[in-house]
Amino acid sequence: MALIVQKYGGTSVGSVERIQAVAQRIYKTVKAGNSIVVVVSAMGKTTDGLVKLATEISPNPNRREMDMLLSTGEQVTIALLSMALQELGQPAISMTGAQVGIVTEAEYSRARILHIETTRLNRHINEGKVVVVAGFQGISSAGEMEITTLGRGGSDTSAVAIAAALRANFCEIYTDVPGILTTDPRLVAEAQLMDAITCDEMLELASLGAKVLHPRAVEIARNYGVPLVVRSSWTDQPGTWVTSAKPQGRSLINLEIARPVDAVEFDTDQAKVALLRVPDKPGVAARLFGEISRQKVDVDLIIQSVHDGNSNDIAFTVTTPILKRAEAVATAIAPALRSQSNPKFDEAEVMVEHNIAKVSIAGAGMIGRPGVAAKMFATLAEAGVNIQMISTSEVKVSCVVDANQCDRAVLALRTAFEIEAGEEGAGSRGEFLTSNSCTDAINRVSPHSPPPVRGVALDLNQARLAIRQLPDRPGMAAKLFGLLAQHNISVDMIIQSQRCRVINGVPRRDIAFTVSRIDGENAKKMLTEVAAELGWGEVVLDSALAKVSIVGAGMVGQPGIAAKMFEALAQEQINIQMIATSEIKISCVVAQEQGVKALQAIHAAFELAGSEKFVVPA
């Protein structure tokens, strides 16, 4: 007999008929000999309707009262579903988040789960009842016993957290699609169903806007080793398994706010090649990395900074043994990249830097926590370590530094994030541990070798801020991202330009980063106010952007993946405005109006389409 946690989203319980169909599915699972805890969302568009009512009363409703209001949506669903189960003869009891004992931070509208009191849950399970739990909500740990909500998508988080607390055999997420697809079926009808995907790949896709699973739910599954499967509410198809490597022993206390960083990793076998002043037009990155791919040069990090006039800088890192080959390719292609429209435009310049190291922090707990990257930058600054390149993903922040500062950087980061030496299991080159361990996990579910690119995601909700002429010295990135963290602004891509200018004796670089569009204006205003005091130049905001990304643990050691992505964009005359990579993700910022076309072109280029068309139910 298995203990299973099932979660049903708003579409799945959107009417009395659908609630009754869900009850039949649950009843069938119980009769097969299983114990069931069910987590549900509010019916259909109930939450949207409640938000609309609130805004008709107040343009800026009180957050406490909003939590009180929004928590009622799930309360309707749990009562109706319990009644439906009882009509089938199945003992059931409905429970709010507070009754279950989901204890959260005292933070309205975006609370994180601290722990779950499982005594009452276990008693009802042992009595043979199906426990129907209101997702998305909890109760504060303070004496006031305040109702809190977890934020949009919080029912996923509730379900996986309950599965972790109960040590359930697995957690099933029922939704309106048959599982996890290679992209959004609303944009590409032939999106292909995956039978399995790794935890880290799903974290990237979920955070990039793939709405099937909430990133916080995936984070908990990864941290606690909860087997997770996404299935359709309308069929009996097996769905998609989200696989986790064997988890480290974690306490269930402070469940969502425990240590955000699991490992400090480093690689001293790195060198950097940068092309400065390449034309800012479609096809440049495709030509460069196409040639790199043909020469079998395996690239690690790739960054393209914000444009400066009509030009851009592109930099990439390689391992030291293949540096000469990478440098030769870059030098050979540089003259061909000069601007044809402006004869006076300087030829692209190749800059090579030896003796660098990549230092990274890794962990699923970094999602949505703006202070983690800021803490890394502040720690390096306090250790006197200057950052030359920055690359970010949902589970990792990497910085390129001087090789002779690597040991100092690693020691400082281990101390700051309370990581014992050797705890992460990495030697001198540990940056592929996460993706490899997840690849091992996926192979246990799907023995055939998965393609290098698993999915393509699009985020149309991006804004970019660029700060010109930031002083190039330790501590500046820490100040910048520390300020953003203080204002609770989460940063996505971070790019530091490779071109350095000396102004009044001070070396300066531009730095650009992306944030959610809703945070763009506030971030610009705040940073502009302190720019003069901190010696920064102009703060520039661009809100009409989209980010398109490919994700796949199998990209490691495959030189042609980036080139194929860039070529797909070039063929559609889509200009790449920024590039950032991690071991399992490549992201490009493009104009917002070209975002959907970019996703469709990349999905087709990697032949991810299946033969079946998916229609998402209304």
Side-chain angles (χ1 to χ4, degrees):
M1 183 175 81
L3 173 57
I4 304 168
V5 176
Q6 295 182 340
K7 179 263 176 177
Y8 293 91
T11 308
S12 303
V13 291
S15 66
V16 168
E17 293 75 21
R18 289 183 177 181
I19 287 173
Q20 289 171 329
V22 164
Q24 288 283 358
R25 184 186 289 270
I26 295 166
Y27 182 69
K28 182 179 175 182
T29 307
V30 173
K31 289 305 174 188
N34 302 295
S35 297
I36 305 292
V37 174
V38 181
V39 177
V40 292
S41 300
M43 294 174 65
K45 301 291 184 182
T46 298
T47 302
D48 292 337
L50 293 172
V51 170
K52 186 173 184 293
L53 284 173
T55 54
E56 287 174 1
I57 295 288
S58 168
N60 187 27
N62 178 276
R63 285 171 58 194
R64 179 193 182 275
E65 302 308 330
M66 282 299 291
D67 276 11
M68 185 69 75
L69 175 66
L70 297 183
S71 65
T72 64
E74 282 73 17
Q75 203 163 326
V76 172
T77 315
I78 59 174
L80 292 173
L81 182 55
S82 292
M83 293 175 192
L85 285 164
Q86 290 162 10
E87 283 298 303
L88 295 174
Q90 171 57 49
I93 183 168
S94 63
M95 298 176 73
T96 65
Q99 290 173 316
V100 168
I102 299 176
V103 180
T104 75
E105 302 169 303
E107 182 75 40
Y108 299 116
S109 80
R110 54 170 180 259
R112 290 182 181 270
I113 297 171
L114 299 178
H115 63 277
I116 299 176
E117 303 283 357
T118 58
T119 305
R120 190 174 179 186
L121 262 175
N122 279 316
R123 185 175 77 246
H124 289 307
I125 291 168
N126 292 335
E127 291 169 353
K129 296 175 185 173
V130 171
V131 185
V132 185
V133 179
F136 173 67
Q137 62 182 249
I139 193 163
S140 71
S141 58
E144 290 82 2
M145 305 287 283
E146 291 289 296
I147 292 173
T148 56
T149 65
L150 310 181
R152 282 301 182 100
S155 293
D156 287 353
T157 305
S158 301
V160 182
I162 289 171
L166 292 173
R167 293 181 168 83
N169 294 85
F170 55 91
C171 179
E172 298 177 317
I173 305 290
Y174 285 94
T175 183
D176 52 7
V177 291
I180 297 164
L181 304 171
T182 50
T183 196
D184 187 341
R186 297 169 185 86
L187 302 178
V188 180
E190 298 82 8
Q192 191 172 353
L193 179 67
M194 302 181 224
D195 57 356
I197 187 171
T198 68
C199 45
D200 286 356
E201 289 170 326
M202 192 63 236
L203 272 172
E204 298 284 11
L205 287 171
S207 302
L208 290 165
K211 298 178 177 63
V212 179
L213 273 176
H214 196 276
R216 283 167 61 186
V218 185
E219 174 190 342
I220 297 168
R222 178 188 188 273
N223 287 341
Y224 292 93
V226 177
L228 190 58
V229 61
V230 179
R231 291 183 171 143
S232 169
S233 298
W234 326 114
T235 72
D236 291 322
Q237 291 182 16
T240 306
W241 284 91
V242 182
T243 61
S244 301
K246 186 178 179 181
Q248 300 172 0
R250 276 181 178 260
S251 169
L252 288 163
I253 303 299
N254 292 332
L255 192 144
E256 273 203 280
I257 64 169
R259 192 173 68 188
V261 173
D262 294 323
V264 176
E265 304 165 353
F266 60 96
D267 182 0
T268 55
D269 189 23
Q270 292 257 312
K272 178 176 71 177
V273 179
L275 278 86
L276 310 183
R277 297 184 298 277
V278 299
D280 183 35
K281 63 182 183 182
V284 170
R287 290 187 67 183
L288 171 60
F289 289 98
E291 188 58 35
I292 285 172
S293 171
R294 283 188 286 276
Q295 298 300 323
K296 306 297 184 188
V297 174
D298 190 15
V299 171
D300 185 1
L301 301 182
I302 302 171
I303 67 163
Q304 178 180 304
S305 63
V306 63
H307 67 86
D308 184 5
N310 295 319
S311 70
N312 242 319
D313 301 338
I314 299 179
F316 57 92
T317 61
V318 295
T319 57
T320 305
I322 61 172
L323 172 61
K324 289 190 181 299
R325 207 174 347 142
E327 182 181 0
V329 173
T331 302
I333 201 171
L337 297 179
R338 74 178 64 177
S339 173
Q340 301 300 318
S341 59
N342 185 356
K344 296 182 180 178
F345 194 79
D346 290 336
E347 182 179 323
E349 175 189 348
V350 178
M351 182 176 71
V352 176
E353 189 157 350
H354 306 261
N355 302 319
I356 62 168
K358 181 175 70 172
V359 180
S360 308
I361 55 172
M366 295 191 283
I367 295 169
R369 301 189 203 184
V372 177
K375 183 175 180 179
M376 179 187 193
F377 302 150
T379 300
L380 294 176
E382 288 166 10
V385 176
N386 197 34
I387 300 168
Q388 299 181 27
M389 290 173 71
I390 300 169
S391 177
T392 58
S393 79
E394 297 308 321
V395 294
K396 186 172 290 191
V397 181
S398 298
C399 295
V400 170
V401 302
D402 282 338
N404 59 13
Q405 296 181 327
C406 180
D407 289 347
R408 195 191 325 160
V410 170
L411 180 61
L413 291 171
R414 281 178 175 158
T415 301
F417 290 104
E418 301 177 4
I419 306 292
E420 296 293 331
E423 184 176 349
E424 65 271 43
S428 63
R429 195 164 183 222
E431 71 275 17
F432 298 147
L433 280 180
T434 303
S435 55
N436 281 346
S437 59
C438 279
T439 302
D440 292 341
I442 197 172
N443 286 336
R444 290 196 292 271
V445 176
S446 179
H448 58 81
S449 189
V453 174
R454 308 303 314 288
V456 186
L458 176 66
D459 185 351
L460 292 168
N461 188 34
Q462 290 268 301
R464 178 182 63 204
L465 287 132
I467 300 179
R468 304 292 189 183
Q469 300 174 11
L470 199 75
D472 185 28
R473 58 173 178 255
M476 294 312 296
K479 286 181 181 177
L480 167 58
F481 295 104
L483 280 168
L484 293 167
Q486 287 171 22
H487 288 76
N488 203 34
I489 296 173
S490 291
V491 174
D492 185 5
M493 295 169 65
I494 303 172
I495 304 292
Q496 186 170 263
S497 71
Q498 296 306 296
R499 219 177 304 183
C500 187
R501 294 182 179 83
V502 178
I503 301 174
N504 297 326
V506 178
R508 296 174 180 271
R509 296 181 192 271
D510 297 341
I511 194 164
F513 54 92
T514 58
V515 297
S516 174
R517 185 171 295 121
I518 198 171
D519 290 327
E521 289 290 350
N522 288 339
K524 181 185 178 183
K525 181 181 177 183
M526 182 264 293
L527 295 174
T528 301
E529 287 172 354
V530 300
E533 176 190 344
L534 296 174
W536 302 343
E538 181 185 11
V539 180
V540 181
L541 173 66
D542 187 343
S543 296
L545 296 174
K547 181 178 70 174
V548 62
S549 307
I550 58 174
V551 173
M555 291 196 290
V556 177
Q558 303 246 12
I561 301 300
K564 182 181 283 192
M565 179 183 188
F566 303 153
E567 179 59 31
L569 296 176
Q571 287 180 359
E572 295 293 331
Q573 289 299 298
I574 296 173
N575 193 36
I576 301 171
Q577 300 191 28
M578 292 171 71
I579 301 170
T581 68
S582 72
E583 284 84 6
I584 67 169
K585 181 179 74 173
I586 302 173
S587 295
C588 295
V589 169
V590 301
Q592 184 185 27
E593 67 270 15
Q594 295 180 310
V596 173
K597 187 200 291 186
L599 177 140
Q600 292 168 341
I602 293 167
H603 194 269
F606 286 99
E607 301 178 354
L608 294 176
S611 56
E612 182 181 353
K613 288 190 176 183
F614 291 105
V615 178
V616 180

